[in-house]
PDB file of all heavy atoms in Angstrom:
ATOM      1  N   ASN A 182      41.043   9.098  13.703  1.00  0.00           N
ATOM      2  CA  ASN A 182      42.100   7.983  13.634  1.00  0.00           C
ATOM      3  C   ASN A 182      41.459   6.696  13.216  1.00  0.00           C
ATOM      4  O   ASN A 182      42.012   5.645  13.379  1.00  0.00           O
ATOM      5  CB  ASN A 182      42.751   7.840  15.003  1.00  0.00           C
ATOM      6  CG  ASN A 182      41.761   7.396  16.013  1.00  0.00           C
ATOM      7  OD1 ASN A 182      40.566   7.677  16.016  1.00  0.00           O
ATOM      8  ND2 ASN A 182      42.260   6.841  17.062  1.00  0.00           N
ATOM      9  N   ILE A 183      40.291   6.673  12.762  1.00  0.00           N
ATOM     10  CA  ILE A 183      39.427   5.407  12.278  1.00  0.00           C
ATOM     11  C   ILE A 183      39.731   5.181  10.829  1.00  0.00           C
ATOM     12  O   ILE A 183      39.586   6.066   9.896  1.00  0.00           O
ATOM     13  CB  ILE A 183      38.017   5.609  12.555  1.00  0.00           C
ATOM     14  CG1 ILE A 183      37.684   5.837  14.021  1.00  0.00           C
ATOM     15  CG2 ILE A 183      37.287   4.291  12.116  1.00  0.00           C
ATOM     16  CD1 ILE A 183      38.191   4.816  15.077  1.00  0.00           C
ATOM     17  N   PRO A 184      40.250   3.970  10.537  1.00  0.00           N
ATOM     18  CA  PRO A 184      40.399   3.625   9.126  1.00  0.00           C
ATOM     19  C   PRO A 184      39.127   3.381   8.381  1.00  0.00           C
ATOM     20  O   PRO A 184      38.534   2.397   8.520  1.00  0.00           O
ATOM     21  CB  PRO A 184      41.260   2.264   9.087  1.00  0.00           C
ATOM     22  CG  PRO A 184      40.948   1.670  10.275  1.00  0.00           C
ATOM     23  CD  PRO A 184      40.654   2.825  11.343  1.00  0.00           C
ATOM     24  N   LEU A 185      38.580   4.308   7.657  1.00  0.00           N
ATOM     25  CA  LEU A 185      37.350   4.283   6.883  1.00  0.00           C
ATOM     26  C   LEU A 185      37.464   3.131   5.814  1.00  0.00           C
ATOM     27  O   LEU A 185      38.539   2.945   5.166  1.00  0.00           O
ATOM     28  CB  LEU A 185      36.780   5.560   6.490  1.00  0.00           C
ATOM     29  CG  LEU A 185      36.672   6.523   7.458  1.00  0.00           C
ATOM     30  CD1 LEU A 185      36.215   7.946   6.846  1.00  0.00           C
ATOM     31  CD2 LEU A 185      35.531   6.257   8.504  1.00  0.00           C
ATOM     32  N   ALA A 186      36.263   2.617   5.478  1.00  0.00           N
ATOM     33  CA  ALA A 186      36.110   1.643   4.597  1.00  0.00           C
ATOM     34  C   ALA A 186      35.980   2.087   3.072  1.00  0.00           C
ATOM     35  O   ALA A 186      35.727   1.359   2.141  1.00  0.00           O
ATOM     36  CB  ALA A 186      34.983   0.699   4.822  1.00  0.00           C
ATOM     37  N   ALA A 187      35.906   3.407   3.067  1.00  0.00           N
ATOM     38  CA  ALA A 187      35.663   4.068   1.697  1.00  0.00           C
ATOM     39  C   ALA A 187      34.540   3.712   0.940  1.00  0.00           C
ATOM     40  O   ALA A 187      34.443   3.580  -0.298  1.00  0.00           O
ATOM     41  CB  ALA A 187      37.032   3.837   0.831  1.00  0.00           C
ATOM     42  N   GLY A 188      33.509   3.511   1.610  1.00  0.00           N
ATOM     43  CA  GLY A 188      32.223   3.220   0.995  1.00  0.00           C
ATOM     44  C   GLY A 188      32.004   1.798   0.382  1.00  0.00           C
ATOM     45  O   GLY A 188      31.180   1.541  -0.443  1.00  0.00           O
ATOM     46  N   GLN A 189      32.988   0.896   0.869  1.00  0.00           N
ATOM     47  CA  GLN A 189      32.907  -0.521   0.282  1.00  0.00           C
ATOM     48  C   GLN A 189      31.746  -1.399   0.690  1.00  0.00           C
ATOM     49  O   GLN A 189      31.425  -1.147   1.817  1.00  0.00           O
ATOM     50  CB  GLN A 189      34.208  -1.247   0.697  1.00  0.00           C
ATOM     51  CG  GLN A 189      35.450  -0.544  -0.054  1.00  0.00           C
ATOM     52  CD  GLN A 189      36.722  -1.267   0.266  1.00  0.00           C
ATOM     53  OE1 GLN A 189      36.689  -2.382   0.820  1.00  0.00           O
ATOM     54  NE2 GLN A 189      37.878  -0.722   0.142  1.00  0.00           N
ATOM     55  N   PHE A 190      31.151  -2.033  -0.096  1.00  0.00           N
ATOM     56  CA  PHE A 190      30.118  -3.010   0.130  1.00  0.00           C
ATOM     57  C   PHE A 190      30.042  -4.034  -1.102  1.00  0.00           C
ATOM     58  O   PHE A 190      30.680  -3.892  -2.059  1.00  0.00           O
ATOM     59  CB  PHE A 190      28.724  -2.311   0.349  1.00  0.00           C
ATOM     60  CG  PHE A 190      28.283  -1.598  -0.894  1.00  0.00           C
ATOM     61  CD1 PHE A 190      27.329  -2.347  -1.690  1.00  0.00           C
ATOM     62  CD2 PHE A 190      28.544  -0.324  -1.143  1.00  0.00           C
ATOM     63  CE1 PHE A 190      26.645  -1.599  -2.772  1.00  0.00           C
ATOM     64  CE2 PHE A 190      27.986   0.337  -2.240  1.00  0.00           C
ATOM     65  CZ  PHE A 190      26.992  -0.467  -3.154  1.00  0.00           C
ATOM     66  N   ASP A 191      29.207  -5.058  -0.926  1.00  0.00           N
ATOM     67  CA  ASP A 191      29.121  -6.178  -1.913  1.00  0.00           C
ATOM     68  C   ASP A 191      28.154  -5.535  -3.036  1.00  0.00           C
ATOM     69  O   ASP A 191      26.965  -5.845  -2.970  1.00  0.00           O
ATOM     70  CB  ASP A 191      28.512  -7.322  -1.254  1.00  0.00           C
ATOM     71  CG  ASP A 191      28.786  -8.564  -2.096  1.00  0.00           C
ATOM     72  OD1 ASP A 191      28.810  -8.512  -3.410  1.00  0.00           O
ATOM     73  OD2 ASP A 191      28.994  -9.689  -1.759  1.00  0.00           O
ATOM     74  N   ARG A 192      28.791  -4.934  -4.073  1.00  0.00           N
ATOM     75  CA  ARG A 192      28.061  -4.366  -5.109  1.00  0.00           C
ATOM     76  C   ARG A 192      27.437  -5.494  -6.101  1.00  0.00           C
ATOM     77  O   ARG A 192      26.320  -5.306  -6.530  1.00  0.00           O
ATOM     78  CB  ARG A 192      28.914  -3.437  -5.930  1.00  0.00           C
ATOM     79  CG  ARG A 192      29.144  -2.150  -5.249  1.00  0.00           C
ATOM     80  CD  ARG A 192      30.223  -1.377  -6.060  1.00  0.00           C
ATOM     81  NE  ARG A 192      30.301   0.014  -5.481  1.00  0.00           N
ATOM     82  CZ  ARG A 192      30.942   0.203  -4.258  1.00  0.00           C
ATOM     83  NH1 ARG A 192      31.475  -0.608  -3.573  1.00  0.00           N
ATOM     84  NH2 ARG A 192      30.992   1.586  -3.913  1.00  0.00           N
ATOM     85  N   GLU A 193      28.003  -6.627  -6.327  1.00  0.00           N
ATOM     86  CA  GLU A 193      27.566  -7.631  -7.089  1.00  0.00           C
ATOM     87  C   GLU A 193      26.236  -8.219  -6.347  1.00  0.00           C
ATOM     88  O   GLU A 193      25.236  -8.408  -7.101  1.00  0.00           O
ATOM     89  CB  GLU A 193      28.501  -8.800  -7.283  1.00  0.00           C
ATOM     90  CG  GLU A 193      28.038  -9.958  -8.094  1.00  0.00           C
ATOM     91  CD  GLU A 193      29.024 -11.123  -8.082  1.00  0.00           C
ATOM     92  OE1 GLU A 193      30.117 -11.095  -7.463  1.00  0.00           O
ATOM     93  OE2 GLU A 193      28.760 -12.101  -8.827  1.00  0.00           O
ATOM     94  N   LEU A 194      26.248  -8.451  -5.089  1.00  0.00           N
ATOM     95  CA  LEU A 194      25.146  -8.881  -4.373  1.00  0.00           C
ATOM     96  C   LEU A 194      24.044  -7.839  -4.431  1.00  0.00           C
ATOM     97  O   LEU A 194      22.792  -8.271  -4.635  1.00  0.00           O
ATOM     98  CB  LEU A 194      25.467  -9.179  -2.825  1.00  0.00           C
ATOM     99  CG  LEU A 194      24.379  -9.510  -2.000  1.00  0.00           C
ATOM    100  CD1 LEU A 194      23.905 -10.993  -2.217  1.00  0.00           C
ATOM    101  CD2 LEU A 194      24.670  -9.250  -0.522  1.00  0.00           C
ATOM    102  N   TYR A 195      24.297  -6.716  -4.304  1.00  0.00           N
ATOM    103  CA  TYR A 195      23.360  -5.510  -4.381  1.00  0.00           C
ATOM    104  C   TYR A 195      22.598  -5.584  -5.702  1.00  0.00           C
ATOM    105  O   TYR A 195      21.438  -5.520  -5.741  1.00  0.00           O
ATOM    106  CB  TYR A 195      23.992  -4.124  -4.176  1.00  0.00           C
ATOM    107  CG  TYR A 195      23.115  -3.012  -4.152  1.00  0.00           C
ATOM    108  CD1 TYR A 195      22.313  -2.649  -3.094  1.00  0.00           C
ATOM    109  CD2 TYR A 195      22.979  -2.297  -5.337  1.00  0.00           C
ATOM    110  CE1 TYR A 195      21.443  -1.658  -3.062  1.00  0.00           C
ATOM    111  CE2 TYR A 195      22.159  -1.188  -5.361  1.00  0.00           C
ATOM    112  CZ  TYR A 195      21.451  -0.834  -4.197  1.00  0.00           C
ATOM    113  OH  TYR A 195      20.525   0.211  -4.239  1.00  0.00           O
ATOM    114  N   LEU A 196      23.382  -5.653  -6.786  1.00  0.00           N
ATOM    115  CA  LEU A 196      22.647  -5.716  -8.024  1.00  0.00           C
ATOM    116  C   LEU A 196      21.757  -6.912  -8.358  1.00  0.00           C
ATOM    117  O   LEU A 196      20.699  -6.760  -8.943  1.00  0.00           O
ATOM    118  CB  LEU A 196      23.785  -5.563  -9.122  1.00  0.00           C
ATOM    119  CG  LEU A 196      24.587  -4.209  -9.185  1.00  0.00           C
ATOM    120  CD1 LEU A 196      25.633  -4.362 -10.134  1.00  0.00           C
ATOM    121  CD2 LEU A 196      23.632  -3.153  -9.548  1.00  0.00           C
ATOM    122  N   ILE A 197      22.252  -8.073  -7.935  1.00  0.00           N
ATOM    123  CA  ILE A 197      21.417  -9.312  -8.003  1.00  0.00           C
ATOM    124  C   ILE A 197      20.225  -9.193  -7.245  1.00  0.00           C
ATOM    125  O   ILE A 197      19.026  -9.457  -7.743  1.00  0.00           O
ATOM    126  CB  ILE A 197      22.321 -10.544  -7.709  1.00  0.00           C
ATOM    127  CG1 ILE A 197      23.514 -10.648  -8.611  1.00  0.00           C
ATOM    128  CG2 ILE A 197      21.359 -11.798  -7.762  1.00  0.00           C
ATOM    129  CD1 ILE A 197      24.424 -11.769  -8.202  1.00  0.00           C
ATOM    130  N   GLY A 198      20.233  -8.823  -6.000  1.00  0.00           N
ATOM    131  CA  GLY A 198      19.077  -8.704  -5.128  1.00  0.00           C
ATOM    132  C   GLY A 198      18.168  -7.739  -5.568  1.00  0.00           C
ATOM    133  O   GLY A 198      16.892  -8.048  -5.637  1.00  0.00           O
ATOM    134  N   ILE A 199      18.573  -6.627  -6.149  1.00  0.00           N
ATOM    135  CA  ILE A 199      17.702  -5.425  -6.550  1.00  0.00           C
ATOM    136  C   ILE A 199      16.917  -5.869  -7.877  1.00  0.00           C
ATOM    137  O   ILE A 199      15.810  -5.593  -7.970  1.00  0.00           O
ATOM    138  CB  ILE A 199      18.432  -4.076  -6.725  1.00  0.00           C
ATOM    139  CG1 ILE A 199      18.989  -3.674  -5.359  1.00  0.00           C
ATOM    140  CG2 ILE A 199      17.393  -2.992  -7.230  1.00  0.00           C
ATOM    141  CD1 ILE A 199      17.928  -3.751  -4.186  1.00  0.00           C
ATOM    142  N   ARG A 200      17.755  -6.419  -8.610  1.00  0.00           N
ATOM    143  CA  ARG A 200      17.117  -7.064 -10.010  1.00  0.00           C
ATOM    144  C   ARG A 200      15.974  -7.996  -9.674  1.00  0.00           C
ATOM    145  O   ARG A 200      14.932  -8.036 -10.300  1.00  0.00           O
ATOM    146  CB  ARG A 200      18.114  -7.677 -10.762  1.00  0.00           C
ATOM    147  CG  ARG A 200      19.100  -6.772 -11.583  1.00  0.00           C
ATOM    148  CD  ARG A 200      19.851  -7.471 -12.671  1.00  0.00           C
ATOM    149  NE  ARG A 200      20.997  -6.675 -13.121  1.00  0.00           N
ATOM    150  CZ  ARG A 200      22.332  -6.969 -12.881  1.00  0.00           C
ATOM    151  NH1 ARG A 200      22.534  -8.106 -12.070  1.00  0.00           N
ATOM    152  NH2 ARG A 200      23.313  -6.198 -13.225  1.00  0.00           N
ATOM    153  N   ARG A 201      16.280  -8.864  -8.807  1.00  0.00           N
ATOM    154  CA  ARG A 201      15.231  -9.915  -8.207  1.00  0.00           C
ATOM    155  C   ARG A 201      14.044  -9.192  -7.749  1.00  0.00           C
ATOM    156  O   ARG A 201      12.892  -9.517  -8.057  1.00  0.00           O
ATOM    157  CB  ARG A 201      15.713 -10.869  -7.345  1.00  0.00           C
ATOM    158  CG  ARG A 201      16.512 -11.987  -7.889  1.00  0.00           C
ATOM    159  CD  ARG A 201      16.758 -13.025  -6.850  1.00  0.00           C
ATOM    160  NE  ARG A 201      17.551 -14.052  -7.154  1.00  0.00           N
ATOM    161  CZ  ARG A 201      17.793 -15.137  -6.408  1.00  0.00           C
ATOM    162  NH1 ARG A 201      17.170 -15.275  -5.363  1.00  0.00           N
ATOM    163  NH2 ARG A 201      18.711 -16.047  -6.775  1.00  0.00           N
ATOM    164  N   ARG A 202      14.246  -8.088  -6.960  1.00  0.00           N
ATOM    165  CA  ARG A 202      13.156  -7.434  -6.276  1.00  0.00           C
ATOM    166  C   ARG A 202      12.321  -6.652  -7.393  1.00  0.00           C
ATOM    167  O   ARG A 202      11.155  -6.731  -7.410  1.00  0.00           O
ATOM    168  CB  ARG A 202      13.743  -6.323  -5.377  1.00  0.00           C
ATOM    169  CG  ARG A 202      12.705  -5.583  -4.484  1.00  0.00           C
ATOM    170  CD  ARG A 202      13.244  -4.546  -3.565  1.00  0.00           C
ATOM    171  NE  ARG A 202      12.370  -3.786  -2.899  1.00  0.00           N
ATOM    172  CZ  ARG A 202      11.949  -4.035  -1.766  1.00  0.00           C
ATOM    173  NH1 ARG A 202      12.442  -5.037  -1.023  1.00  0.00           N
ATOM    174  NH2 ARG A 202      11.081  -3.237  -1.157  1.00  0.00           N
ATOM    175  N   ILE A 203      12.936  -6.192  -8.305  1.00  0.00           N
ATOM    176  CA  ILE A 203      12.180  -5.305  -9.375  1.00  0.00           C
ATOM    177  C   ILE A 203      11.490  -6.296 -10.246  1.00  0.00           C
ATOM    178  O   ILE A 203      10.312  -6.035 -10.594  1.00  0.00           O
ATOM    179  CB  ILE A 203      13.222  -4.644 -10.404  1.00  0.00           C
ATOM    180  CG1 ILE A 203      13.885  -3.422  -9.586  1.00  0.00           C
ATOM    181  CG2 ILE A 203      12.508  -3.981 -11.599  1.00  0.00           C
ATOM    182  CD1 ILE A 203      14.997  -2.751 -10.285  1.00  0.00           C
ATOM    183  N   THR A 204      12.020  -7.566 -10.546  1.00  0.00           N
ATOM    184  CA  THR A 204      11.289  -8.509 -11.336  1.00  0.00           C
ATOM    185  C   THR A 204      10.086  -9.031 -10.564  1.00  0.00           C
ATOM    186  O   THR A 204       9.032  -9.244 -11.228  1.00  0.00           O
ATOM    187  CB  THR A 204      12.369  -9.770 -11.648  1.00  0.00           C
ATOM    188  OG1 THR A 204      13.502  -9.275 -12.340  1.00  0.00           O
ATOM    189  CG2 THR A 204      11.666 -10.851 -12.351  1.00  0.00           C
ATOM    190  N   ARG A 205      10.246  -9.238  -9.206  1.00  0.00           N
ATOM    191  CA  ARG A 205       9.232  -9.767  -8.476  1.00  0.00           C
ATOM    192  C   ARG A 205       8.016  -8.718  -8.369  1.00  0.00           C
ATOM    193  O   ARG A 205       6.830  -9.055  -8.569  1.00  0.00           O
ATOM    194  CB  ARG A 205       9.664 -10.075  -7.125  1.00  0.00           C
ATOM    195  CG  ARG A 205       8.578 -10.567  -6.148  1.00  0.00           C
ATOM    196  CD  ARG A 205       9.104 -11.188  -4.839  1.00  0.00           C
ATOM    197  NE  ARG A 205      10.177 -10.273  -4.278  1.00  0.00           N
ATOM    198  CZ  ARG A 205      10.037  -9.309  -3.489  1.00  0.00           C
ATOM    199  NH1 ARG A 205       8.713  -9.127  -3.067  1.00  0.00           N
ATOM    200  NH2 ARG A 205      10.962  -8.690  -2.903  1.00  0.00           N
ATOM    201  N   GLU A 206       8.386  -7.451  -8.393  1.00  0.00           N
ATOM    202  CA  GLU A 206       7.394  -6.468  -8.230  1.00  0.00           C
ATOM    203  C   GLU A 206       6.651  -6.274  -9.702  1.00  0.00           C
ATOM    204  O   GLU A 206       5.493  -6.051  -9.672  1.00  0.00           O
ATOM    205  CB  GLU A 206       7.948  -5.130  -7.802  1.00  0.00           C
ATOM    206  CG  GLU A 206       8.412  -4.954  -6.444  1.00  0.00           C
ATOM    207  CD  GLU A 206       9.259  -3.804  -5.920  1.00  0.00           C
ATOM    208  OE1 GLU A 206       9.491  -2.949  -6.858  1.00  0.00           O
ATOM    209  OE2 GLU A 206       9.525  -3.598  -4.722  1.00  0.00           O
ATOM    210  N   LEU A 207       7.305  -6.308 -10.709  1.00  0.00           N
ATOM    211  CA  LEU A 207       6.824  -6.314 -12.026  1.00  0.00           C
ATOM    212  C   LEU A 207       5.987  -7.504 -12.264  1.00  0.00           C
ATOM    213  O   LEU A 207       4.704  -7.276 -12.752  1.00  0.00           O
ATOM    214  CB  LEU A 207       7.731  -6.276 -13.198  1.00  0.00           C
ATOM    215  CG  LEU A 207       8.678  -4.992 -13.207  1.00  0.00           C
ATOM    216  CD1 LEU A 207       9.880  -5.177 -14.158  1.00  0.00           C
ATOM    217  CD2 LEU A 207       7.894  -3.869 -13.602  1.00  0.00           C
ATOM    218  N   GLN A 208       6.163  -8.648 -11.674  1.00  0.00           N
ATOM    219  CA  GLN A 208       5.418  -9.877 -11.926  1.00  0.00           C
ATOM    220  C   GLN A 208       4.085  -9.628 -11.127  1.00  0.00           C
ATOM    221  O   GLN A 208       3.014 -10.105 -11.566  1.00  0.00           O
ATOM    222  CB  GLN A 208       6.100 -11.046 -11.402  1.00  0.00           C
ATOM    223  CG  GLN A 208       7.232 -11.623 -12.419  1.00  0.00           C
ATOM    224  CD  GLN A 208       8.071 -12.718 -11.690  1.00  0.00           C
ATOM    225  OE1 GLN A 208       7.939 -13.011 -10.569  1.00  0.00           O
ATOM    226  NE2 GLN A 208       8.959 -13.353 -12.605  1.00  0.00           N
ATOM    227  N   LYS A 209       4.143  -9.086 -10.029  1.00  0.00           N
ATOM    228  CA  LYS A 209       3.011  -8.836  -9.068  1.00  0.00           C
ATOM    229  C   LYS A 209       1.991  -7.858  -9.873  1.00  0.00           C
ATOM    230  O   LYS A 209       0.824  -8.080  -9.919  1.00  0.00           O
ATOM    231  CB  LYS A 209       3.329  -8.343  -7.743  1.00  0.00           C
ATOM    232  CG  LYS A 209       3.980  -9.323  -6.722  1.00  0.00           C
ATOM    233  CD  LYS A 209       4.191  -8.574  -5.518  1.00  0.00           C
ATOM    234  CE  LYS A 209       4.644  -9.644  -4.377  1.00  0.00           C
ATOM    235  NZ  LYS A 209       4.935  -8.973  -3.146  1.00  0.00           N
ATOM    236  N   LYS A 210       2.596  -6.775 -10.414  1.00  0.00           N
ATOM    237  CA  LYS A 210       1.834  -5.822 -11.101  1.00  0.00           C
ATOM    238  C   LYS A 210       1.172  -6.342 -12.362  1.00  0.00           C
ATOM    239  O   LYS A 210      -0.151  -6.083 -12.651  1.00  0.00           O
ATOM    240  CB  LYS A 210       2.753  -4.644 -11.481  1.00  0.00           C
ATOM    241  CG  LYS A 210       3.073  -3.710 -10.369  1.00  0.00           C
ATOM    242  CD  LYS A 210       3.970  -2.516 -10.876  1.00  0.00           C
ATOM    243  CE  LYS A 210       4.331  -1.696  -9.601  1.00  0.00           C
ATOM    244  NZ  LYS A 210       5.302  -0.520 -10.134  1.00  0.00           N
ATOM    245  N   ARG A 211       1.864  -7.274 -13.113  1.00  0.00           N
ATOM    246  CA  ARG A 211       1.339  -7.836 -14.290  1.00  0.00           C
ATOM    247  C   ARG A 211       0.088  -8.822 -13.932  1.00  0.00           C
ATOM    248  O   ARG A 211      -0.799  -8.829 -14.473  1.00  0.00           O
ATOM    249  CB  ARG A 211       2.434  -8.677 -14.917  1.00  0.00           C
ATOM    250  CG  ARG A 211       2.082  -9.023 -16.287  1.00  0.00           C
ATOM    251  CD  ARG A 211       3.216  -9.715 -17.035  1.00  0.00           C
ATOM    252  NE  ARG A 211       4.311  -8.804 -17.266  1.00  0.00           N
ATOM    253  CZ  ARG A 211       5.547  -8.958 -16.708  1.00  0.00           C
ATOM    254  NH1 ARG A 211       5.768 -10.077 -15.760  1.00  0.00           N
ATOM    255  NH2 ARG A 211       6.589  -8.172 -16.898  1.00  0.00           N
ATOM    256  N   ALA A 212       0.379  -9.522 -12.862  1.00  0.00           N
ATOM    257  CA  ALA A 212      -0.635 -10.473 -12.337  1.00  0.00           C
ATOM    258  C   ALA A 212      -1.940  -9.730 -11.839  1.00  0.00           C
ATOM    259  O   ALA A 212      -2.981 -10.194 -12.193  1.00  0.00           O
ATOM    260  CB  ALA A 212      -0.030 -11.397 -11.187  1.00  0.00           C
ATOM    261  N   LEU A 213      -1.684  -8.602 -11.249  1.00  0.00           N
ATOM    262  CA  LEU A 213      -2.815  -7.765 -10.669  1.00  0.00           C
ATOM    263  C   LEU A 213      -3.582  -7.256 -11.886  1.00  0.00           C
ATOM    264  O   LEU A 213      -4.787  -7.090 -11.879  1.00  0.00           O
ATOM    265  CB  LEU A 213      -2.292  -6.719  -9.807  1.00  0.00           C
ATOM    266  CG  LEU A 213      -3.368  -5.819  -9.165  1.00  0.00           C
ATOM    267  CD1 LEU A 213      -4.266  -6.723  -8.254  1.00  0.00           C
ATOM    268  CD2 LEU A 213      -2.704  -4.649  -8.261  1.00  0.00           C
ATOM    269  N   LYS A 214      -2.802  -6.738 -12.908  1.00  0.00           N
ATOM    270  CA  LYS A 214      -3.455  -6.161 -14.070  1.00  0.00           C
ATOM    271  C   LYS A 214      -4.296  -7.231 -14.937  1.00  0.00           C
ATOM    272  O   LYS A 214      -5.272  -6.948 -15.354  1.00  0.00           O
ATOM    273  CB  LYS A 214      -2.282  -5.664 -15.028  1.00  0.00           C
ATOM    274  CG  LYS A 214      -2.844  -4.933 -16.320  1.00  0.00           C
ATOM    275  CD  LYS A 214      -1.619  -4.306 -17.086  1.00  0.00           C
ATOM    276  CE  LYS A 214      -2.229  -3.727 -18.438  1.00  0.00           C
ATOM    277  NZ  LYS A 214      -1.130  -3.100 -19.202  1.00  0.00           N
ATOM    278  N   ASP A 215      -3.669  -8.447 -15.036  1.00  0.00           N
ATOM    279  CA  ASP A 215      -4.377  -9.494 -15.764  1.00  0.00           C
ATOM    280  C   ASP A 215      -5.694  -9.998 -14.965  1.00  0.00           C
ATOM    281  O   ASP A 215      -6.720 -10.282 -15.546  1.00  0.00           O
ATOM    282  CB  ASP A 215      -3.525 -10.670 -15.795  1.00  0.00           C
ATOM    283  CG  ASP A 215      -2.366 -10.510 -16.761  1.00  0.00           C
ATOM    284  OD1 ASP A 215      -2.377  -9.653 -17.577  1.00  0.00           O
ATOM    285  OD2 ASP A 215      -1.317 -11.267 -16.653  1.00  0.00           O
ATOM    286  N   GLN A 216      -5.619  -9.779 -13.653  1.00  0.00           N
ATOM    287  CA  GLN A 216      -6.713 -10.115 -12.772  1.00  0.00           C
ATOM    288  C   GLN A 216      -7.860  -9.203 -13.063  1.00  0.00           C
ATOM    289  O   GLN A 216      -8.983  -9.578 -13.059  1.00  0.00           O
ATOM    290  CB  GLN A 216      -6.330 -10.306 -11.316  1.00  0.00           C
ATOM    291  CG  GLN A 216      -7.492 -10.763 -10.399  1.00  0.00           C
ATOM    292  CD  GLN A 216      -7.026 -10.794  -8.976  1.00  0.00           C
ATOM    293  OE1 GLN A 216      -5.871 -10.392  -8.620  1.00  0.00           O
ATOM    294  NE2 GLN A 216      -7.819 -11.320  -8.064  1.00  0.00           N
ATOM    295  N   LYS A 217      -7.454  -7.853 -12.910  1.00  0.00           N
ATOM    296  CA  LYS A 217      -8.480  -6.727 -13.233  1.00  0.00           C
ATOM    297  C   LYS A 217      -9.176  -6.903 -14.697  1.00  0.00           C
ATOM    298  O   LYS A 217     -10.063  -6.400 -14.775  1.00  0.00           O
ATOM    299  CB  LYS A 217      -7.869  -5.505 -12.922  1.00  0.00           C
ATOM    300  CG  LYS A 217      -7.517  -5.264 -11.469  1.00  0.00           C
ATOM    301  CD  LYS A 217      -6.908  -3.760 -11.292  1.00  0.00           C
ATOM    302  CE  LYS A 217      -6.717  -3.549  -9.808  1.00  0.00           C
ATOM    303  NZ  LYS A 217      -6.094  -2.077  -9.708  1.00  0.00           N
ATOM    304  N   GLY A 218      -8.203  -7.341 -15.693  1.00  0.00           N
ATOM    305  CA  GLY A 218      -8.666  -7.222 -16.969  1.00  0.00           C
ATOM    306  C   GLY A 218      -9.468  -8.509 -17.320  1.00  0.00           C
ATOM    307  O   GLY A 218     -10.143  -8.440 -18.496  1.00  0.00           O
ATOM    308  N   SER A 219      -9.468  -9.404 -16.609  1.00  0.00           N
ATOM    309  CA  SER A 219     -10.241 -10.641 -16.959  1.00  0.00           C
ATOM    310  C   SER A 219     -11.673 -10.523 -16.615  1.00  0.00           C
ATOM    311  O   SER A 219     -12.079  -9.694 -15.755  1.00  0.00           O
ATOM    312  CB  SER A 219      -9.705 -11.931 -16.191  1.00  0.00           C
ATOM    313  OG  SER A 219      -9.777 -11.755 -14.688  1.00  0.00           O
ATOM    314  N   THR A 220     -12.537 -11.243 -17.451  1.00  0.00           N
ATOM    315  CA  THR A 220     -13.964 -11.119 -17.257  1.00  0.00           C
ATOM    316  C   THR A 220     -14.473 -12.574 -17.159  1.00  0.00           C
ATOM    317  O   THR A 220     -13.947 -13.477 -17.847  1.00  0.00           O
ATOM    318  CB  THR A 220     -14.690 -10.427 -18.312  1.00  0.00           C
ATOM    319  OG1 THR A 220     -14.407 -11.060 -19.546  1.00  0.00           O
ATOM    320  CG2 THR A 220     -14.320  -8.954 -18.302  1.00  0.00           C
ATOM    321  N   VAL A 221     -15.486 -12.751 -16.379  1.00  0.00           N
ATOM    322  CA  VAL A 221     -16.173 -14.052 -16.271  1.00  0.00           C
ATOM    323  C   VAL A 221     -17.561 -14.124 -16.980  1.00  0.00           C
ATOM    324  O   VAL A 221     -18.342 -13.351 -16.713  1.00  0.00           O
ATOM    325  CB  VAL A 221     -16.434 -14.398 -14.829  1.00  0.00           C
ATOM    326  CG1 VAL A 221     -17.119 -15.841 -14.686  1.00  0.00           C
ATOM    327  CG2 VAL A 221     -15.076 -14.404 -14.004  1.00  0.00           C
ATOM    328  N   CYS A 222     -17.683 -14.892 -18.012  1.00  0.00           N
ATOM    329  CA  CYS A 222     -18.832 -15.163 -18.798  1.00  0.00           C
ATOM    330  C   CYS A 222     -19.708 -16.273 -18.247  1.00  0.00           C
ATOM    331  O   CYS A 222     -19.119 -17.413 -18.031  1.00  0.00           O
ATOM    332  CB  CYS A 222     -18.601 -15.264 -20.181  1.00  0.00           C
ATOM    333  SG  CYS A 222     -17.725 -13.907 -20.950  1.00  0.00           S
TER     334      CYS A 222
END
């Protein structure tokens, strides 16, 4: 007898937040790769 929400949630917020998370993780990986690839003369 419970009126279910039919899986509703804030999809727009979800997409924005996950895009930011992916972008942040890619930036970290890129920074780490640049750090490993750099040499000091």
Side-chain angles (χ1 to χ4, degrees):
N182 65 335
I183 303 299
L185 296 177
Q189 294 181 11
F190 65 94
D191 194 325
R192 285 171 170 78
E193 180 185 4
L194 174 76
Y195 180 82
L196 292 174
I197 295 173
I199 299 311
R200 285 196 195 103
R201 279 198 190 180
R202 185 183 177 95
I203 293 172
T204 301
R205 176 165 51 87
E206 290 177 350
L207 289 174
Q208 289 173 345
K209 284 184 178 179
K210 289 181 180 179
R211 192 177 299 114
L213 185 62
K214 182 179 179 181
D215 292 343
Q216 184 179 8
K217 288 182 178 179
S219 63
T220 57
V221 178
C222 298

